[in-house]
Amino acid sequence: MAAQPKEIAGQRPSYLAEGGLVGWLTTIDHKRVAVLYGLSSLFFLFVGGFEALLVRTQLAVPNNHLLSADTYNQMFTMHGTTMIFMVIMPLEIGFFANFLIPLMIGARDVAFPRINALSFWVFIFGALFMNAGWLWHALPDAGWFGYANLTERYYSPGMNIDLWDIGLLILGVSTLLSGLNFFVTIVNMRCPGMTFMRMPMFMWAMLVTTVLILLAFPALTVGLIFLFLDRFIGTHFYVAALGATPILWQHLFWIFGHPEVYIMALPAFGIISEILPVFSRKPLFGYAGMAYALVLIAFLSYGVWGHHMFSTGMGPVADATFSITSMLIAVPTGIKIFSWIATVWGGKLRMTTAMYFALAFILEFTIGGLSGVMHASPPIDLQQTDSYFIVAHFHYVLFGGMMFAILGAFFYWWPKITGRLLDEKLGRWQFWLTVIGFNGTFFPMHFLGVLGMPRRIYTYPAGMGWTFWNSFETACAYLLGVAFLIFLVNLVRSLRSEQAVGDDPWDARTLEWSVGSPPPAHNFDDIVTVRGRDAFWLMKYGSHDAPGHDSSAGARASAAHAEAGHAHVHLPAPSWYPLLFAAGLLVMGVGAMTWLRVVFLGAGLLLVSIVGMGFEYATYGQETEESRATFFRGVDSRKMGMWAFLGSECVFFACLISTYMVYKARNLGGPDAAVLDIPLTSFSTFVLLTSSLLMVLALAAIQRGDRKWSAIWLFGTAGFGLVFLGGQVYEFSKLYLVEHLAMQDNLFGQTFYTLVGTHGTHVAIGVVWLFVMAFAALKGKLQQSRSLAVEIAGLYWHFVDIVWIVIFTLVYLMRSIKEA
């Protein structure tokens, strides 16, 4: 029997009240998923810190042999990868954003609760997969940036880079799922009255961050797929001797990599923008300018990736262009810094630990930003690149910026998450040790960079003038480690404390503080109506003036909830399918490194879990009165989610097509586009485009309640898709057997097979999807009320057809066009 939504009538249990192990394994409550993210990320925080201390210990004195060169490479590679992909991003997006987004916008959950749980399990399995190298002394060892050709099988013959490549692909799936989910949640599920210009600034930051995720991660995915093919299939996407270029990896990686900096920075900006007004007893200064600055930062972040590549010889035009955009991005960042200072200026400051970390963030991040502006100048960058000056810069941005904000967020929102306060005395000890340890560790790296110490060396001779600062930095790094041990002690003591905190201990301004601490399972008894910015403050006091702190204000504010008469709240039931899906993805990763049959086993688990999730609830694909009340923004969340996914897919295919267009003209010999069979492909194209017409007929049939013809048209659409795939298989076999074009032969072969094959994989997924829906229609599981399910499948199918029109035009019809 399908699981049904839980119904809660009138009570307010904490989200932590029920469970047990099975409850946590199957939970889809956004707050519990956030806690799982938080625990996992804190574990990896200490793993990453241990790796950093090993690196610093190795460099403490000259000619040190504590670590071998290979072990050192593994430690600094895993430190960078761990802190970015398993600590900072999961803490900001998986933990704080996951917990707070529905509460801050007045919603009872995220738009897609099971996808939310799925994103966590994919994350944890991807992280464990990458860290499996600890068992065989085979951790990734080519740097967190994975520059080609270091990652080719010839230079890295072991499993080290395999774990990194596949692990990052798995982690990317998790991040994309989270980005899509939170984008739809913020856009579509804000409570009545919460317009975009009334959202908390943290919501603005997360909205822009989700757009960056959807548009940046596909480039990294394409680069990792190329690396996977090079290592496992024998292609040569990054081998210069065979006509390719390792610079392709740098372009794909940094097109992702610089927006990635802001994927980590923007949530931190949002966190600081929430902490400062509360402890300054003032509204955020320049709200509109701050919001627009976030959007401008995101826009400009896609035009600055080249400043990571000044030393590659891109040419004066490219260097000048990227230099200008890199300088321009400092303008919106400066707007935010001045707005934060203006918020604090003249305020009635309460110097809590959270406030200390927020103020320190402004200083430390500004230092990192100023050194970043220096690297916008190509001549300066050429002197400093690959030196320890760069290490100092990005640690001031990532640690001095993001980690200081995260630590402030822990002290600020910990009472809401757990119902317990963190100890302020321990917090101050932690803060000062963190400030001293951090600046003592990383500021001298500027000096070492100027003195010529290069990055990524595992030891150095005496007499270079580097010994003192390296020893000093290592001592301060251990001091920083002590600060985090105090933090851990503080967390544990807080959880063991029996002293509960009130719902609103800080006299805060945003909606999450209007509910219990910790919140009930359903967040809000009644849907809130927002009357302005700082919604909870207006509920309590009716204006933006700053009265004295009133500990009873939070209790009085509950009367301000708009809709009374709450009777029932429907919550989705727990589900095993997210865990099963993530397990299938993990099995596929293991199979890629062992036996092909294991890959098919993992794919089977994926298929079972996807179909299971699709039909787990009786309301699958159904637009009911309750769903319309939930999705009160006018566009159904499921449809909006598909549109967001397709937007991300546009970037994915754009990267594949761009690579083909560049590489086909660099083909050094052998068969090229002249061997393609245009008549056969023209027929296949006609069949695929005709299938879109059948898809339209299927939707029309289900909308008028004609179950028989909806099944017929769905089977017909899937059948036409199979004909198209059959044509592709025939063409591939002909090219291989008759024209002797293997994927590994030349640049044309590898880019052609990858581009067309990837599109074929999308068609195959659509065919399976359509067959499942057709059988569901025959079994009476797909009725008129569920026409939305067919409409969403139709959006995907039409997108696949449109992409093929572009590919067919560029690959087949324009095959004779050569690079000038």
Side-chain angles (χ1 to χ4, degrees):
M1 182 177 177
Q4 299 298 321
K6 295 187 295 184
E7 189 171 280
I8 297 174
Q11 71 264 25
R12 293 171 52 87
S14 161
Y15 76 97
L16 298 169
E18 302 175 2
L21 179 60
V22 172
W24 284 96
L25 291 176
T26 61
T27 186
I28 59 175
D29 180 358
H30 73 97
K31 298 178 291 298
R32 287 193 163 205
V33 172
V35 170
L36 292 173
Y37 262 114
L39 292 174
S40 305
S41 302
L42 285 173
F43 169 77
F44 286 114
L45 170 64
F46 285 93
V47 171
F50 172 72
E51 293 159 348
L53 288 178
L54 286 178
V55 168
R56 284 308 328 155
T57 304
Q58 169 64 20
L59 294 174
V61 295
N63 300 311
N64 197 355
H65 298 289
L66 173 68
L67 303 179
S68 66
D70 179 57
T71 302
Y72 178 86
N73 287 340
Q74 294 183 31
M75 289 301 102
F76 94 78
T77 298
M78 281 305 297
H79 168 66
T81 304
T82 298
M83 296 305 292
I84 290 173
F85 294 101
M86 303 175 212
V87 178
I88 294 178
M89 285 177 59
L91 280 176
E92 290 180 332
I93 300 172
F95 182 40
F96 288 112
N98 213 335
F99 195 96
L100 295 170
I101 284 175
L103 291 167
M104 280 187 154
I105 64 174
R108 291 198 172 106
D109 210 327
V110 293
F112 308 113
R114 286 175 298 171
I115 289 180
N116 195 28
L118 173 60
S119 69
F120 166 74
W121 291 113
V122 172
F123 158 74
I124 195 65
F125 285 158
L128 293 176
F129 182 90
M130 190 181 296
N131 279 275
W134 284 99
L135 302 176
W136 297 283
H137 189 63
L139 290 167
D141 56 358
W144 71 272
F145 36 77
Y147 277 174
N149 287 335
L150 294 176
T151 52
E152 293 294 320
R153 184 72 71 184
Y154 179 82
Y155 298 101
S156 299
M159 69 169 68
N160 310 62
I161 300 303
D162 298 334
L163 293 170
W164 184 82
D165 183 47
I166 298 173
L168 277 185
L169 283 170
I170 297 173
L171 289 172
V173 171
S174 169
T175 306
L176 280 169
L177 290 173
S178 294
L180 186 150
N181 199 357
F182 296 154
F183 172 79
V184 176
T185 301
I186 296 172
V187 171
N188 225 34
M189 298 185 67
R190 288 166 286 126
C191 63
M194 184 170 283
T195 62
F196 282 113
M197 297 309 291
R198 289 178 176 177
M199 292 195 306
M201 192 52 61
F202 184 59
M203 292 301 95
W204 264 107
M206 287 310 307
L207 177 61
V208 177
T209 299
T210 58
V211 174
L212 287 176
I213 288 173
L214 293 172
L215 299 183
F217 265 82
L220 176 65
T221 302
V222 170
L224 292 171
I225 290 173
F226 289 163
L227 178 59
F228 180 89
L229 295 174
D230 277 10
R231 293 186 63 84
F232 287 90
I233 307 299
T235 57
H236 42 269
F237 280 97
Y238 305 120
V239 182
L242 298 173
T245 172
I247 301 301
L248 172 64
W249 167 264
Q250 292 197 36
H251 279 297
L252 290 172
F253 183 82
W254 290 117
I255 287 173
F256 148 80
H258 206 83
E260 166 67 7
V261 172
Y262 292 102
I263 288 171
M264 294 183 287
L266 294 184
F269 294 170
I271 288 169
I272 298 304
S273 299
E274 299 302 328
I275 294 175
L276 291 178
V278 169
F279 297 111
S280 299
R281 309 288 291 168
K282 287 175 58 182
L284 181 67
F285 180 87
Y287 175 95
M290 294 276 277
Y292 297 144
L294 287 170
V295 176
L296 185 56
I297 287 172
F299 177 77
L300 291 174
S301 71
Y302 284 98
V304 300
W305 85 85
H307 74 226
H308 295 274
M309 302 170 59
F310 284 149
S311 61
T312 63
M314 294 185 297
V317 174
D319 284 358
T321 301
F322 287 117
S323 177
I324 292 170
T325 55
S326 299
M327 293 178 183
L328 282 176
I329 205 168
V331 174
T333 305
I335 291 173
K336 302 190 72 61
I337 292 172
F338 283 116
S339 293
W340 291 325
I341 295 173
T343 300
V344 176
W345 193 269
K348 299 178 181 178
L349 304 186
R350 295 176 58 201
M351 297 306 296
T352 62
T353 304
M355 187 65 165
Y356 276 117
F357 275 111
L359 294 174
F361 163 90
I362 299 174
L363 175 62
E364 309 291 5
F365 184 78
T366 300
I367 295 173
L370 290 174
S371 62
V373 173
M374 294 170 62
H375 300 134
S377 172
I380 295 176
D381 182 80
L382 287 171
Q383 293 296 316
Q384 297 175 349
T385 191
D386 284 335
S387 77
Y388 255 77
F389 198 98
I390 300 295
V391 180
H393 159 67
F394 67 67
H395 276 91
Y396 265 87
V397 172
L398 296 184
F399 194 110
M402 293 59 157
M403 189 53 68
F404 270 70
I406 288 170
L407 292 173
F410 266 101
F411 281 88
Y412 179 58
W413 278 301
W414 188 256
K416 181 55 55 182
I417 296 170
T418 66
R420 302 290 186 271
L421 283 169
L422 289 172
D423 184 83
E424 286 289 312
K425 184 176 181 180
L426 284 177
R428 283 178 171 78
W429 273 101
Q430 178 201 344
F431 170 77
W432 288 113
L433 289 177
T434 301
V435 169
I436 296 169
F438 165 73
N439 286 284
T441 300
F442 297 109
F443 198 83
M445 290 183 183
H446 295 97
F447 308 147
L448 289 174
V450 173
L451 292 172
M453 182 173 176
R455 300 166 62 184
R456 304 188 289 275
I457 60 170
Y458 85 103
T459 191
Y460 54 93
M464 298 295 292
W466 304 340
T467 303
F468 170 77
W469 286 121
N470 273 298
S471 300
F472 181 80
E473 289 166 9
T474 300
C476 291
Y478 276 91
L479 190 64
L480 194 57
V482 172
F484 277 93
L485 288 178
I486 293 175
F487 178 55
L488 178 62
V489 170
N490 204 350
L491 295 179
V492 174
R493 283 187 56 183
S494 170
L495 293 175
R496 297 181 64 181
S497 171
E498 296 182 358
Q499 183 177 357
V501 70
D503 294 347
D504 182 26
W506 310 125
D507 196 20
R509 311 180 76 88
T510 46
L511 285 180
E512 75 273 21
W513 298 100
S514 68
V515 299
S517 296
H522 54 286
N523 291 352
F524 296 92
D525 292 337
D526 308 299
I527 298 298
V528 182
T529 296
V530 169
R531 306 299 180 188
R533 295 175 195 161
D534 295 336
F536 186 43
W537 187 270
L538 293 179
M539 290 179 186
K540 292 185 289 187
Y541 303 117
S543 73
H544 286 286
D545 295 333
H549 177 68
D550 182 355
S551 60
S552 65
R556 295 198 310 269
S558 61
H561 284 205
E563 281 83 13
H566 159 68
H568 301 286
V569 176
H570 295 276
L571 297 177
S575 175
W576 284 101
Y577 288 116
L579 179 57
L580 182 63
F581 180 101
L585 206 58
L586 176 64
V587 171
M588 290 181 70
V590 173
M593 298 183 62
T594 53
W595 301 284
L596 184 60
R597 67 192 70 149
V598 178
V599 175
F600 291 112
L601 174 61
L605 286 175
L606 285 181
L607 180 61
V608 169
S609 59
I610 291 172
V611 174
M613 278 193 286
F615 293 94
E616 187 173 16
Y617 296 145
T619 57
Y620 160 73
Q622 185 171 357
E623 188 177 10
T624 63
E625 289 297 326
E626 182 180 354
S627 70
R628 280 193 290 272
T630 303
F631 308 128
F632 39 70
R633 290 291 158 189
V635 179
D636 188 277
S637 290
R638 291 156 289 189
K639 190 186 299 185
M640 181 177 290
M642 178 53 71
W643 280 112
F645 169 74
L646 296 181
S648 184
E649 284 281 278
C650 287
V651 179
F652 177 80
F653 276 105
C655 292
L656 289 173
I657 293 171
S658 299
T659 302
Y660 170 81
M661 297 300 291
V662 171
Y663 269 9
K664 78 163 189 173
R666 299 168 64 105
N667 198 41
L668 297 183
D672 58 14
V675 302
L676 299 178
D677 190 339
I678 291 184
L680 170 65
T681 310
S682 298
F683 172 75
S684 299
T685 301
F686 174 77
V687 171
L688 186 64
L689 297 182
T690 304
S691 70
S692 275
L693 174 61
L694 301 187
M695 192 72 228
V696 172
L697 295 174
L699 177 60
I702 195 69
Q703 286 177 338
R704 67 173 181 264
D706 192 335
R707 194 172 67 193
K708 173 186 173 182
W709 277 101
S710 65
I712 291 174
W713 294 127
L714 286 171
F715 276 122
T717 307
F720 276 31
L722 284 178
V723 172
F724 173 81
L725 290 175
Q728 274 198 351
V729 171
Y730 176 79
E731 182 185 26
F732 281 15
S733 62
K734 180 181 176 182
L735 290 173
Y736 182 76
L737 298 174
V738 178
E739 304 295 343
H740 305 292
L741 177 64
M743 190 173 186
Q744 302 85 352
D745 286 347
N746 58 23
L747 288 178
F748 168 74
Q750 66 185 34
T751 52
F752 169 78
Y753 283 121
T754 302
L755 173 58
V756 177
T758 301
H759 176 268
T761 303
H762 281 70
V763 175
I765 292 171
V767 166
V768 174
W769 188 354
L770 293 172
F771 272 125
V772 170
M773 296 185 69
F775 281 113
L778 287 179
K779 295 290 186 180
K781 300 289 186 180
L782 198 64
Q783 300 170 355
Q784 184 177 7
S785 60
R786 298 180 179 178
S787 63
L788 181 65
V790 180
E791 184 177 357
I792 292 173
L795 288 175
Y796 174 86
W797 191 257
H798 298 322
F799 170 79
V800 170
D801 289 2
I802 292 170
V803 170
W804 179 251
I805 293 174
V806 177
I807 294 174
F808 179 69
T809 302
L810 295 177
V811 176
Y812 290 88
L813 299 184
M814 300 175 65
R815 66 183 185 179
S816 62
I817 294 180
K818 300 291 185 180
E819 187 180 65

